[in-house]
Amino acid sequence: MSNQQPVDQNTSAREQMWREHAALIDWKNPFTSVLEYGDGARLPPPFARWFVGGTTNLCHNAVDRHLKDRADQPALIWESTEVDVTRTYTYAELHREVVRFAAGMRSLGVRRGDRVLIYLPMIPEAVFAMLACARIGAIHSVVFGGFASMSLAKRIDDAQPRLIVSADAGSRTGKALEYKPLLDAAIELATAKPEHVLLIDRGLAPMTRVAGRDVDWAPLREQHLNADVPVEWLESNEISYILYTSGTTGKPKGVQRDVGGYAVALAASMKHIFYGEAGKTYFSSSDIGWVVGHSYIVYGPLIAGMTTILYEGTPLRPDAGIFWQLVEKHRVKVMFSSPTAIRALKRHDQALLKKYDLSSLRALFLAGEPLDEPTARWISEGLGCPVIDNYWQTETGWPILATPDSPGNASPHYGSAGLPVFGYDVRLVDENTGVEKGINEKGVVTIQPPLPPGCLQTIWGDDKRFVQTYFETIPGQLTYSTFDFGVKDKDGYWFILGRMDDVINVAGHRLGTREIEESICSHAAIAECAVVGVQDALKGQVAVGFAVLKDPTLAVDMAARMALEGEVMSLVHQQLGAIARPARVHFIAALPKTRSGKVLRRSIQAVCESRDPGDLTTIDDASPLDQVKQAHLGA
Ligand code: AMP
């Protein structure tokens, strides 16, 4: 492998920095330029290409290259408190399983550039499938197991996968959650049809197979036990994966990522942010369906030569000490979780933290939603190690802001998501004028392009939407908007104040209110509705719907309203999945709207949170807001 790069006389400090980080991974062929952006680039700004001409492979960097020094070191430990199994795969064993999976996928016709949709619970095969795709240059699109058939169908239609990898069922608090019927319904709903469905049969639920389409993994694996599938060397800017995320429309956005830039960004972040250290253990309690799972369960820790823990279970079962039990058992050095998980633990005895030997733990990283100060204090005191908030998005793939851990720092900046991370030119600007904000002034968090390596290249199949959605919202400049409001203090620490669009964050999971509204409106009795995110002590936010009935007499009494509410909530659950199920759906006579007919979601949200609804000069009729208040707060 060559890490030698040609010297470029015009290398800027930024390019020099990334050239150095690029040496953290293996390249088959060296790149010819660190960055292609602006003048002379193949594509106009904001499109950027990193490590142009270099060839590499994510699977090689995550698995194969460690075989020389750490073949017998555990690479992946599967801990399932759902089915009570612990299974360890060394790097050599992981390599074997990935190669078998790659061979199996190839035998089903999957080639470089094909999409493979992975709809799996937290089982080792999910990791094998992702790495196998990376190995052969297929583009994976992992869909979170909590999504149901309609959400899945939208993603199938957008990604048009040749193959879908799925299972009979997941498990939640000991109960099987069937995947296969949801998948079958999704394929039925979708216009694009996969050629094959590859099934992991866990023996948790019966499955009906579609002849000619559905293939069982266990017998296929047997056929490829001794397979040899070499790595496909990909140009750095080829596509590694698509990961769908919610936006403000009902159509999810396929965040598209490259190969080389992503590998370099992960390697650099593991080293300089996450205390990555080959041979040590890393435990992220996220799910492979989310970006944290991609970056910091699978690719990041493995690229760093660590042992990564894949956990199937909840933070509370068998008891609220399970995370710490696993930390002790596996001598975990670095842990990554979410504020919601910690808030759930906070309801239990802090003594559970003291019961285990946590001396191996260097730091706990928390991300995905605002980390409130009491939670940060509680967990940091309980663990006796730094708790590091970090802020990023599916789009960026790795942290934009992170709090540096400075030993001896007596006053950690609780409540702050930290300082800008290397490689990001983060600025706070006025949403209406684009003028940069000063200390303690609220503004939109923006990133000056080119976005650093690892961030999204574009939206899958929709360059125009990529540019318009992210780069054309701040007047007078081409700059990436995170759609988060933030503020910076005099020491340079940043505080994230919440989304400025209709995206909500439930337990760290990002949901588009529009998708939920569409689902509610598909109920025959509903004329129109609005969904907003309302503050919640545990989950950060919950979705609350306000619906107007076609026939108001359907909700004359409490019993009728409750029955209808239950029906609507089940419909959303069935179409989108449990995570999108609203906490409440209230029925009101009309939605609060401006005279031009725009629904005043922000005012609805404010009223639900007992805040001032803001400027109502454009409101058509104030009485619906009173109904919102009455319905939600009973006042
Ligand atoms: P996702 O793309 O699902 O990771 O969601 C990204 C969004 O989650 C961001 O735009 C923020 O609104 C929120 N978020 C992520 N991390 C943090 C954090 N550390 N503090 C506050 N909000 C966060």
Side-chain angles (χ1 to χ4, degrees), residues 323-582:
F323 279 0
W324 322 119
Q325 191 186 326
L326 293 175
V327 169
E328 178 186 271
K329 178 174 169 191
H330 298 294
R331 304 291 300 150
V332 170
K333 178 181 179 193
V334 184
M335 184 159 174
F336 195 134
S337 192
S338 69
T340 292
I342 305 302
R343 281 194 295 268
L345 300 184
K346 199 164 140 229
R347 296 181 167 186
H348 298 262
D349 193 350
Q350 205 180 22
L352 281 167
L353 294 169
K354 305 283 176 209
K355 201 173 141 188
Y356 299 98
D357 173 9
L358 305 180
S359 57
S360 61
L361 200 58
R362 178 69 184 80
L364 168 68
F365 289 85
L366 296 175
E369 54 180 312
L371 172 61
D372 56 286
E373 193 173 330
T375 303
R377 272 185 201 287
W378 180 84
I379 191 66
S380 151
E381 283 161 16
L383 294 179
C385 78
V387 169
I388 304 182
D389 192 355
N390 55 118
Y391 159 79
W392 44 300
Q393 307 180 305
T394 304
E395 287 84 347
T396 66
W398 63 293
I400 306 168
L401 302 174
T403 312
D405 164 35
S406 29
N409 181 356
S411 55
H413 281 67
Y414 289 127
S416 162
L419 303 166
V421 163
F422 58 89
Y424 285 95
D425 183 353
V426 198
R427 299 184 191 178
L428 268 182
V429 303
D430 185 283
E431 74 205 277
N432 298 313
T433 63
V435 173
E436 211 164 331
K437 294 288 190 175
I439 289 162
N440 294 330
E441 284 178 353
K442 176 179 167 181
V444 186
V445 181
T446 62
I447 307 167
Q448 277 295 108
L451 297 178
C455 293
L456 80 169
Q457 296 180 294
T458 186
I459 292 175
W460 168 256
D462 204 342
D463 286 349
K464 206 166 137 203
R465 190 176 176 200
F466 167 67
V467 178
Q468 284 177 348
T469 305
Y470 296 109
F471 291 90
E472 291 185 347
T473 60
I474 306 295
Q477 52 186 300
L478 188 76
T479 189
Y480 174 88
S481 174
T482 61
F483 298 100
D484 281 305
F485 281 121
V487 67
K488 203 168 32 171
D489 73 9
K490 62 174 185 8
D491 301 325
Y493 281 81
W494 293 58
F495 295 77
I496 300 299
L497 305 173
R499 297 282 301 198
M500 57 185 285
D501 56 10
D502 294 329
V503 166
I504 63 173
N505 195 319
V506 178
H509 303 324
R510 177 164 153 186
L511 298 172
T513 50
R514 200 59 54 87
E515 275 178 272
I516 306 175
E517 287 173 3
E518 279 175 15
S519 177
I520 292 178
C521 285
S522 71
H523 189 286
I526 309 289
E528 58 175 345
C529 82
V531 170
V532 297
V534 176
Q535 251 175 26
D536 180 81
L538 176 66
K539 297 181 175 177
Q541 278 187 313
V542 289
V544 175
F546 292 89
V548 177
L549 292 167
K550 287 178 187 159
D551 174 3
T553 61
L554 282 176
V556 274
D557 58 33
M558 178 73 102
R561 271 202 301 277
M562 278 172 63
L564 204 51
E565 181 177 7
E567 251 180 53
V568 171
M569 298 215 283
S570 310
L571 182 71
V572 178
H573 189 138
Q574 186 202 326
Q575 290 183 346
L576 303 181
I579 57 161
R581 187 186 175 103

Side-chain angles (χ1 to χ4, degrees), residues 205-245:
M207 282 195 280
T208 48
R209 275 100 172 150
V210 174
R213 187 195 75 182
D214 295 356
V215 179
D216 271 74
W217 169 236
L220 190 64
R221 179 178 174 276
E222 289 297 311
Q223 289 172 28
H224 296 284
L225 285 180
N226 300 312
D228 178 21
V229 179
V231 154
E232 286 268 352
W233 297 107
L234 305 172
E235 199 277 335
S236 177
N237 292 277
E238 285 186 55
I239 307 167
S240 59
Y241 70 74
I242 309 166
L243 178 57
Y244 286 91
T245 189

Side-chain angles (χ1 to χ4, degrees), residues 103-137:
M105 292 201 311
R106 279 223 164 139
S107 74
L108 297 175
V110 178
R111 298 285 175 265
R112 182 170 177 162
D114 285 343
R115 271 79 60 213
V116 175
L117 190 143
I118 299 172
Y119 182 58
L120 282 174
M122 292 286 282
I123 54 176
E125 287 80 0
V127 179
F128 306 156
M130 289 169 77
L131 291 166
C133 286
R135 186 171 196 86
I136 63 173

